[in-house]
Each structure stands twice: as structure tokens, then as C-alpha cells.
Amino acid sequence: RALLWFGPVYLAGYLGLSGSWVLLGLALWLCWGHNRRWKRDRLAAAFALLEDEREAVCRGLAARQLPAWVHFPDVERVEWLNKVLVQAWPYFGTIMEKTFKEVVEPKIRAKNVHLKTCTFTKIHFGEKCPRINGIKAYTKEIDRRQVILDLQICYIGDCEIHMDISKFNLGVKGVQLYGTLRVILEPLLTDAPFIGAVTLFFLQKPHLEINWAGMSNLLDVPGINVMSDSLIQDFIAARLVLPNRITVPLKKNMNIAHLRFPIPRGVIRVHLLEAENLVQKDSFLGAIRGKSDPYALLRVGTVQYRSKTVSRDLNPIWNETFEFVVHEVPGQDLEVDLYDEDPDKDDFMGSLLISLVDVMNDRTVDEWFPLSKTTSGHLHLKLEWLSLVNDQEKLHEDKKGLSTAILIVYLDSAFNLPKNHFEYSNGECGAKKIKNNKYLKKTEREPSSFVLLTVGNKTQKSKTCNFSKDPTWGQAFTFFVHSAHSQSLHVEIKDKDRDTALGTSVICLSHLLKDPNMTVDQRFQLDHSSSDSFIKMKLVLRALNVEEPDPQRVKAGVSASKQGPVRVVEKGGNQQKFASPPKPEASKVPSLSKDSAALDSLPKKDSREDLDTNDSSAAPVPSETVAGLNETEREQNAEHQPPSALHSRAAVVPTLPVIQELRLAPSVTSLGSLPSSCFELSSSNLELQNGTEMPLGEIQLTVRYASIRQSLVVLVNGCRNLVPSSNRGVDPYVRIYLLPDRRWTSRKKTSVKKKTLNPQYDEKFEFFESLEDVKKRTLDIAVKNSRPFISQERKELGKVRIDLSQEDLIKGFAQW
């Protein structure tokens, strides 16, 4: 043992390596051992719960680690079902061992040449069977011809599965699985077997932990274990988590297509407006408390979006909109988590769980919600429930860029696909080329095809069907549609092995409007393919409609937020009952005025919170995210909001008549006092003149498109009249992005000019893109201050965005 301990140390010294390598290896070894001990402790605790549940429940009363049937009366305890599972488990294990040997093992060997030696050496499912901690049966708000059951499954298994691949031993020694499995029995029949089909799926990704054995123990190394577990969870989610389902027919000749792919229940539109009194997470030297950089993660099922990051603000304003497709209600909820962005690890700042059943019944909810699992904080959300209707009159184009419809694509199958693209592109000449090809066998086999579906800027990919000219996918996809009269669905079938297109098709969504139900179910002829190649799809278009709320219904409001079953209690949890934010008095709300002088009449303490500020380092918004509301829209809608939606700090700001699209700093007088502020200048026509109305300075740019080089040329000439961020002066430089590309590698940056407010750069940058692509882009240019490390100075001095679709790039332009 001493040699094992000091051998690596002596070897490192003998080879002349640094001592840091020894410390790094020791740290990795300690983390690996700690991770292994943590998993063993979790497994032992779970076994103790199974062996003596009464004692474990009594011991966990203080920690509130109780089954769901203790927290929620409508969740029933089903011990009789657990006893049945215990009796039937040995027989189930025997069936699974036979299935692994006769079905799974041949499939693994056929996957790859290197897996031909795969052999299961030991298959034992152990003595511990899955438990059902509770069952919830739904009897309201569902169809009378169906039964919905939510099973809360807990599996702490002592199973052992080992297999050998080329003399390498891989295996699993234990599995832990927690999750809510929904079982739908429909349709109910009047004759045997009384149930037409059974549908199974998980409402959310189940929690999974695997105790590896053999060579697969390497997957427990810190860093690798997180990646391996997430890959396995993604594999399960692609088959068993909503919107994916497993439907098993119980009656012969039962059509289960509408059960496998039902039309979604609706769409939830989430307006993430603002938050207040968030917890301070950032600290300087561990003692001085500072502000935080909050952002929000919004999640419904497996779909998750991230908001932009608001720098150094405990009362952030986002004004962003997100849209989620809701497949199951009740069942799916809206989850919102707030985090403080840090370079190393983001700090948790609170969470929110909102029942979509209440939102569906209320139609519209505009409330301040108290955050849970934290000591303070409220979040302002506006939630809209959008119903799916087949009324063509609802398909108007939204001027704010929001979605107006949803397209549901049921991808069925394809027929007579060519083996390769030479079959239809080159004819006999191409066939002669293939005969002399050394990859003759590869080109003659059947294609392994998948489908790429594109609507607008969103592309979704189907699964791959191996070695078939008539593949069957059987998948459903959903797309948000902004303009049904002009958008199209692009379909492309590709071969996985050769990465070539086997056929394409373009379906205009306006064709669906010719059908009264806005539904098309047919075969579509494939272009750039064989003459008898088709793809079968069903397209369903539904308009998004916000229904008027029921005036007689009592709205849920803040009570829509609920607390789910908590397995592990976080320290410092917020157990208090939060009161609603104080409502402002009518006399404290400033009246609307278009006079710019009204800015000075606002209270000084609220001046820094009146106008929206954006940070240039914010993460890019997902494709489904709609641009945030501007300030002028908020002013116009302020008169129509109920008093409860107003707040004392969200004062209405008058409109500046001269600069209509200018987002100012919190106030002109506080420019030098707010080092963390971010100023954004945006104008579509770029006709801003230097003078009294432009306090942040100007930048001179020359932009043109070089057709010969196929590149966009941006010449940064210089800046003038910049605003100093500190008394010591500024060191300005210019940063350029070609949106929506915000990658670090695509960023362009000028040199830094020292101690000047009128820098001259005369530097040229090129973006190698086609003219068609450039016309769809936006040029994002920011002037920044090269501040010292750990400096409190303002980094960004100004920003301007140029919509390239409005400019004549071949002619070019030079402008301040």
C-alpha cells in the first residue's frame, strides 16, 4: 500500500515533473472516491427505506423526506399493488433475462462490426423490485371514455448485468430511478377487453443514477459521470418523455394513430417582465455584499429557454416573451428558476412552479409571484393561454412578431427512396462511375435515412431508419408559425452514411387553408429523387386564440403557484408567507406627458429603474423567443392594466419626441454615477445627428458588400464625443457581431485607444457570407471601455444596430 501511495510521487520527481501534477491526480482520485461513497450512501439509505418504511418515515419527519401521499391527499397509497409486484418480480426477471439473450444481444451485434463479440455473461435483476409510492387518478377535466393514472415510481435495484466486448468487461451493479409515469387507458369499450389501448410516458425526465462495474467504472470519474448520466437521460427522454409516447393496442384492428400523436392541449405564452428584491449573491473578498447578475430559466416539460442576463441589478427588467407547447393538462407545469451568472458556477436565487390548469381556466394571469426556496424576491409574470382552433379568420399576422398559429407534422413513412443520389442525377453515366468505385458495396446497400423538417429558422430532425428504401418513422413535430399565408414547410430526406439528399419537398402552408379543417393527409411527390418516390405526412394547422376570461370565475392569481413534493430540503429555504407587493397610490403615479422635461420631475430614488437597460453580454435568445416589449408599448398599455399589475417602482416614463427608438440610461444626470449601466442606441435609418439630443457620442462606419470576395466589409473609421465613464478617462475599442451569430470566434474587435474620447481606428473587418444571408442579418456594434481588472467602471459606452436588409450593400454607405 505504501508503494501504491508514494510510487506516483517518486515517479513524478524522477521524471522532473511539477508537483502540481501530483496534486491534480490526488484531487481527481479524492473526487472519484467521494462520488463513489456518496452513491453507496444513497443506495444504502434507499434500501433502508424499502426494508423498514415505518422507521424510515418516522426518522425523516424532521427532514420532510416523505412519500407524496403524505403531502397530497389526492395521491393514494397502494400497498396491495406493491405486494403484487414483489410476488411477480422473480418471474419478470426470468422473462427479461431471456429477452436480453435472444433479442437484445443479436441487435447489439448487428449494430457495428466491433460489437460482434458482445456477450452477456451475467444477467440478474436482483431481489429488489420497483415500488409505487402513490397513484393519482384523474376524474375531472378529462374525457369520459378514458382513465388517467399518475404512478410515482421508485426503483432502487440491486440488479447486475455484465457483458464482454473484445475481452473488455462492462457492467452495471445497481440502478436508482425516480419519476412520474402517466398511464392513459383509452378508449373505454363496451365489449372485451373493455380497454382499447394503453399509453405510457413520463411527464418529465426521470431522475436516474447508475452504479457502474468493470471498465465502465471510468464513467464515475468526476466530469465524465455528469455527461454519461445526461446522455442516458436524453436517450430515455427521446422515447418515453412527453411529447414522446408508447401506445400498446389491446384490441385487434385498433387505430392508435390519434392516440400516439394527439393534438396538443394549447400553447402557454409567458411574458417575463421583471423581478424585485432578489437575494444578493455576489460578494467581494467574501465580506462585502454586492449586486447580482440575474437570469431566468423557464421550462415546460423537456423544452427550456433562457432569458438574457441583467448585469448588477437586484430589480431586473427583462420584458421577454416565450412560447411553450402544452401537451398534457393536468400534468405539465411551468417551472421558473432564477440564477446569478458567475464565471465559475451560477448561484441559485429562487424558483417558481405554476399550475397550468389554473392558467388554462383563467385564460390570462398578470401577477407578482413570491419566489420559493429563497429568503426574498418576487417575480412579475404575465401568462396567456392560447387555445388551438381551426378558424381561418384567426390567422391574422401579429405586428409584434408573435406566433399566430401552430403547425403539427405527423411524419409517417416514405416509399421507393433511391439507394443513392446517382440513381436520379447521373443516370447511366453515373452508374458507370459507381462500377469502378471501390466503395461499390456501400453504395449498393439500402439507405439509412432521416428527415429534416424546417419552418422559418427552426429545423427538427427525425430518427434514422437503417437500411430501408421504404422507411417508417412514425413521429410528430410541432412548429410555431408567424404567417401562415407566406411560410412553407421544407422537407429533406438525407442518407446518414453518405450525407447526401435522397429527395426534397416544399409545402406552402397556404395549401392547408384550402381545406376547411386546415388538415392535409396525403402522399407528397419528392423532388430531386426518383419519379415514383413519395413521402407520407399529415399536416395540421391550428390558429392560436386568446379566449375571453369567464367573468363569473374567481381567478387563481397567486394561488396558481404551487409547491411540488421536495425530496431534499435546501438549506436556507424560504418558509415564510409572502405578502403581495405594495400597491401604489394613485397620487404617486406620474401622469403621462410627452415633454422631455418631465424626466427631471420623477423621484430621484426611482430614476434608475424607470427605463429598460440591456447588457451586451446577454446570452442569445432562442429561436422561439419573441423580442422584448419596448418602452412605448408599455406606456400605451399602462392605462389598460388593472391596479394590481402596477407597482411603485415600475413608473411610466414619458416618450421622448425626438429620439423615438432610443433606449436611454436611467437618467441623463446619473450617467457618471452608474458605472454598471448599459446604454443602447438603436435607429433604423441611422440619421442621428451630433448635437444636444445625443448624449452618448457617435461612431462613423463604412459598410459595403464585396461581390468578388463574397464578403461583407465593415470599416470602423472612428468615434467622437464619447461619454467618460470615470475621472481617469476611457480606453475605448469597438466590438462587432453579425447577428444572430454571437459566438466568441466570430467576434470582431478593434485595437484599444488610450485616454481619448475621440478615437480614430480606420480598421477593416470582413464577414465571409453570401449576399442573401447578409441581407437577413443585423450588424451589432458596441463601443466599450477597456477597464482594469476588478474595476467598477462602466464597460459599455454605447451600442448601435444596423438592419442590413434596409440598406443597399452593393453601393455601400458611410455614415455617422
Side-chain angles (χ1 to χ4, degrees), residues 147-391:
V147 176
I148 297 181
L149 302 174
D150 283 349
L151 281 67
Q152 297 177 357
I153 296 180
C154 171
Y155 177 51
I156 304 103
D158 54 349
C159 61
E160 286 193 51
I161 302 175
H162 296 266
M163 66 177 180
D164 290 337
I165 301 177
S166 301
K167 298 182 180 180
F168 292 102
N169 180 263
L170 308 175
V172 175
K173 293 181 63 177
V175 176
Q176 294 188 49
L177 179 69
Y178 307 97
T180 301
L181 180 69
R182 171 158 290 190
V183 179
I184 302 179
L185 310 176
E186 68 170 328
L188 302 181
L189 307 175
T190 56
D191 54 348
F194 306 111
I195 298 173
V198 178
T199 302
L200 306 172
F201 56 86
F202 282 97
L203 292 173
Q204 294 179 345
K205 281 186 180 181
H207 174 75
L208 178 68
E209 288 184 17
I210 300 177
N211 194 16
W212 302 99
M215 289 291 295
S216 52
N217 250 333
L218 296 174
L219 297 177
D220 275 336
V221 174
I224 300 180
N225 61 343
V226 177
M227 182 175 63
S228 62
D229 290 347
S230 63
L231 287 176
I232 296 174
Q233 288 183 352
D234 292 340
F235 179 81
I236 296 175
R239 289 157 178 80
L240 276 174
V241 181
L242 271 178
N244 305 292
R245 305 163 184 250
I246 293 180
T247 303
V248 181
L250 302 181
K251 186 180 176 66
K252 292 183 179 180
N253 302 324
M254 185 72 187
N255 185 13
I256 61 173
H258 67 285
L259 300 179
R260 292 187 60 193
F261 309 115
I263 294 180
R265 295 294 301 275
V267 171
I268 181 72
R269 181 175 289 162
V270 183
H271 300 274
L272 178 65
L273 301 179
E274 54 188 333
E276 68 166 7
N277 298 329
L278 298 182
V279 181
Q280 296 178 350
K281 290 293 182 179
D282 292 342
S283 60
F284 182 69
L285 299 178
I288 304 175
R289 304 295 294 179
K291 295 184 178 180
S292 301
D293 307 320
Y295 68 90
L297 291 179
L298 299 93
R299 182 170 52 255
V300 174
T302 57
V303 180
Q304 175 176 293
Y305 299 132
R306 171 175 169 164
S307 71
K308 65 183 179 182
T309 303
V310 180
S311 297
R312 298 175 52 80
D313 198 346
L314 298 179
N315 301 289
I317 299 177
W318 288 287
N319 285 337
E320 293 184 85
T321 304
F322 305 89
E323 293 173 334
F324 298 89
V325 178
V326 182
H327 296 273
E328 287 290 325
V329 175
Q332 290 187 297
D333 299 317
L334 171 64
E335 304 173 55
V336 183
D337 295 327
L338 296 184
Y339 289 92
D340 170 32
E341 187 177 59
D342 288 323
D344 49 356
K345 183 180 179 181
D346 297 345
D347 298 322
F348 178 76
M349 302 181 68
S351 65
L352 187 61
L353 185 65
I354 298 178
S355 172
L356 295 183
V357 177
D358 296 324
V359 180
M360 181 181 65
N361 295 330
D362 291 344
R363 308 296 200 282
T364 302
V365 176
D366 190 350
E367 293 285 347
W368 284 87
F369 295 93
L371 297 175
S372 60
K373 302 180 185 178
T374 185
T375 55
S376 67
H378 286 76
L379 185 63
H380 188 190
L381 297 176
K382 181 182 178 182
L383 310 173
E384 293 179 314
W385 178 264
L386 307 176
S387 303
L388 306 184
V389 296
N390 58 353
D391 187 0

Side-chain angles (χ1 to χ4, degrees), residues 243 262-264 303 324-325 327 388 406-410 453 455 458 460 476-481 540 624:
I263 294 180
V303 180
F324 298 89
V325 178
H327 296 273
L388 306 184
I406 183 174
L407 176 67
I408 307 165
V409 181
Y410 300 102
L453 303 167
V455 175
K458 182 179 180 181
Q460 298 192 48
F477 305 90
T478 57
F479 297 90
F480 285 106
V481 177
V540 179
E624 287 82 358

Side-chain angles (χ1 to χ4, degrees), residues 563-775:
Q563 182 68 36
V566 181
R567 248 175 233 291
V568 180
V569 180
E570 298 188 12
K571 293 184 179 180
N574 183 18
Q575 308 296 336
Q576 304 174 7
K577 295 289 184 180
F578 286 98
S580 300
K583 298 181 181 179
E585 298 178 6
S587 59
K588 294 183 180 180
V589 179
S591 59
L592 292 175
S593 175
K594 292 187 178 181
D595 188 6
S596 60
L599 228 93
D600 300 329
S601 64
L602 294 178
K604 187 174 182 180
K605 63 179 180 180
D606 293 335
S607 61
R608 71 168 198 82
E609 298 163 329
D610 290 338
L611 289 168
D612 185 18
T613 59
N614 295 325
D615 184 61
S616 62
S617 62
V621 182
S623 59
E624 287 82 358
T625 304
V626 186
L629 301 174
N630 55 37
E631 293 298 325
T632 57
E633 292 173 347
R634 294 188 63 205
E635 294 168 15
Q636 295 171 1
N637 298 333
E639 297 179 352
H640 304 287
Q641 292 181 352
S644 60
L646 297 175
H647 194 260
S648 58
R649 74 176 192 85
V652 180
V653 182
T655 306
L656 296 181
V658 179
I659 312 170
Q660 296 179 355
E661 298 185 9
L662 176 66
R663 290 187 180 181
L664 289 176
S667 66
V668 178
T669 57
S670 62
L671 290 177
S673 61
L674 288 176
S676 64
S677 301
C678 173
F679 309 92
E680 179 178 349
L681 306 178
S682 62
S683 179
S684 58
N685 53 12
L686 298 178
E687 294 179 355
L688 300 178
Q689 302 295 329
N690 185 27
T692 59
E693 301 295 340
M694 186 56 57
L696 303 180
E698 294 174 296
I699 182 171
Q700 187 182 32
L701 302 172
T702 302
V703 182
R704 66 180 179 86
Y705 187 80
S707 302
I708 300 177
R709 296 175 53 83
Q710 293 289 304
S711 66
L712 178 69
V713 181
V714 179
L715 177 63
V716 181
N717 302 106
C719 302
R720 66 185 180 189
N721 301 330
L722 297 179
V723 176
S725 60
S726 66
N727 295 329
R728 71 173 191 88
V730 294
D731 303 330
Y733 68 92
V734 180
R735 185 267 301 144
I736 306 176
Y737 281 125
L738 189 60
L739 299 181
D741 189 0
R742 283 182 173 271
R743 292 177 299 171
W744 182 265
T745 55
S746 62
R747 187 186 71 153
K748 308 295 183 182
K749 176 183 173 183
T750 66
S751 59
V752 179
K753 301 299 181 181
K754 298 289 186 180
K755 302 293 185 298
T756 177
L757 298 179
N758 299 280
Q760 292 295 324
Y761 299 101
D762 295 326
E763 298 184 32
K764 184 178 70 173
F765 304 95
E766 289 188 87
F767 297 90
F768 292 93
E769 301 284 349
S770 65
L771 182 60
E772 291 76 13
D773 291 339
V774 170
K775 280 287 188 179

